[in-house]
Amino acid sequence: MTASIAHGAVEVGTELPAQSFPVTRATLVQYAGASGDFNPIHWNEKFAREVGLPDVIAHGMFTMAEAIRVVTDWAGDPGAVVEYGVRFTKPVVVPNDGTGALIEVSGKVAAVLDDNLVRVDLLAMSEGKKVLGMARAVVRLA
Amino acid sequence: MALDQSFVGRTYPPTPAYEVGREKIREFAEAVGDTNPAYTDPEAAKALGYPDVIAPPTFVFSITYRAAGQVVQDPQLGLDYSRVVHGDQKFAYVRPVRAGDRLTVTSTIEAIKTMAGNDIVDIRGEVHDESGEHVVTAFTKLVARAAEEA
């Protein structure tokens, strides 16, 4: 465990560098293969519309995987994450227009805990909508 | 239709071991566009104190979700799988998953609720390695949406 950020260097309100993550249909096909989640709502527009969705949507777990990168890139050591949870509030709609969608993630330190731990609260937005709720990670700093 | 509360606390048999491979971790890291070398370069992972490459934090879900399928597809429970969506997901890590791990998952139904016609099932998946060491716990909330009026 060798996070590159010192516990003493952060305080409540410390902002982590925000990042934007593009997602296209090709991204979703690749993620489906890597994760084993082949639910057609993530690649088949006809199927997605038939079950009442506006279009193909990104896997919630894909969005969850992107959001934590704000924490792991900041901390340096991805294994320093000791807890991570989210609520899937709104889908990330991915149009078939060659551009796709953008997931914009910011985070800030919400609590400084004992044992070199901090809690980071994440905000993940797409098309102006909050796509994750209660997105929180606890990470062990140096 | 409300699900049977007597299923709360039910634990399913551990899954067969899933062997975590370096290339599977690489494939996952590439799929989420994450270039952290700890996922692909054993030397970089060793520099952080790990014996081999580690997996991104959400990688383990593909293993725990498959295990949760035991619950979802339990004919006695009778969850309508075609209406299931993923509500919440949380992980509590003892250590990161790493290449060479042989992981088994033991799933337990933690809670069953019915709200506004939606069936909500909380599943806890305890992940252990081959030596019996606890690696991570996955908390998965599944929501079977109420059937629409015909």
Side-chain angles (χ1 to χ4, degrees):
Chain A
M1 302 287 186
T2 43
S4 53
I5 302 283
H7 186 253
V10 299
E11 54 191 28
V12 172
T14 296
E15 293 192 14
L16 281 59
Q19 295 191 57
S20 294
F21 305 101
V23 45
T24 65
R25 294 290 178 87
T27 316
L28 296 182
V29 171
Q30 192 178 356
Y31 182 79
S35 69
D37 180 351
F38 296 102
N39 189 326
I41 61 174
H42 305 306
W43 52 268
N44 184 331
E45 199 167 306
K46 178 172 173 286
F47 184 92
R49 291 188 198 281
E50 276 170 9
V51 296
L53 294 166
D55 206 333
V56 161
I57 63 168
H59 307 69
M61 289 305 300
F62 176 82
T63 305
M64 188 175 184
E66 298 305 326
I68 195 63
R69 289 175 56 193
V70 164
V71 177
T72 54
D73 285 356
W74 174 69
D77 177 0
V81 176
V82 299
E83 204 175 288
Y84 178 35
V86 307
R87 176 164 296 170
F88 301 108
T89 50
K90 286 271 191 298
V92 174
V93 179
V94 183
N96 188 23
D97 59 3
T99 307
L102 199 63
I103 301 167
E104 297 169 278
V105 183
S106 58
K108 64 180 172 193
V109 174
V112 175
L113 310 167
D114 292 340
D115 202 17
N116 282 13
L117 298 171
V118 297
R119 191 186 98 212
V120 174
D121 286 2
L122 294 163
L123 179 64
M125 307 283 293
S126 187
E127 286 286 309
K129 288 182 193 143
K130 193 171 159 184
V131 293
L132 297 178
M134 300 287 288
R136 296 172 165 186
V138 175
V139 59
R140 178 168 286 118
L141 300 180
Chain B
M1 191 175 63
L3 296 173
D4 184 350
Q5 282 291 328
S6 72
F7 280 75
V8 174
R10 177 173 293 209
T11 295
Y12 292 77
T15 55
Y18 175 102
E19 185 166 333
V20 180
R22 282 182 182 173
E23 293 302 334
K24 190 64 194 177
I25 292 175
R26 178 198 303 275
E27 182 187 11
F28 186 91
E30 285 178 354
V32 298
D34 196 330
T35 57
N36 194 309
Y39 303 139
T40 51
D41 176 0
E43 292 310 314
K46 278 173 192 156
L48 292 170
Y50 305 112
D52 205 327
V53 293
I54 62 172
T58 62
F59 172 87
V60 74
F61 181 76
S62 51
I63 307 167
T64 58
Y65 187 65
R66 214 165 296 166
Q70 290 173 294
V71 180
V72 172
Q73 286 153 19
D74 183 339
Q76 291 179 292
L77 178 63
L79 202 62
D80 182 356
Y81 183 56
S82 69
R83 312 199 68 84
V84 167
V85 296
H86 197 183
D88 292 29
Q89 183 59 44
K90 184 175 159 187
F91 301 102
Y93 303 92
V94 179
R95 66 161 174 84
V97 168
R98 60 189 181 230
D101 274 337
R102 289 175 55 82
L103 303 177
T104 60
V105 187
T106 306
S107 297
T108 299
I109 298 179
E110 285 217 304
I112 295 175
K113 287 178 200 139
T114 301
M115 286 172 68
N118 299 318
D119 288 321
I120 303 166
V121 180
D122 288 314
I123 301 164
R124 187 181 80 243
E126 300 281 1
V127 181
H128 290 88
D129 70 12
E130 201 168 23
S131 71
E133 187 195 352
H134 183 201
V135 178
V136 53
T137 303
F139 301 90
T140 303
K141 187 185 289 289
L142 298 176
V143 181
R145 290 170 299 147
E148 285 147 34
E149 298 294 323

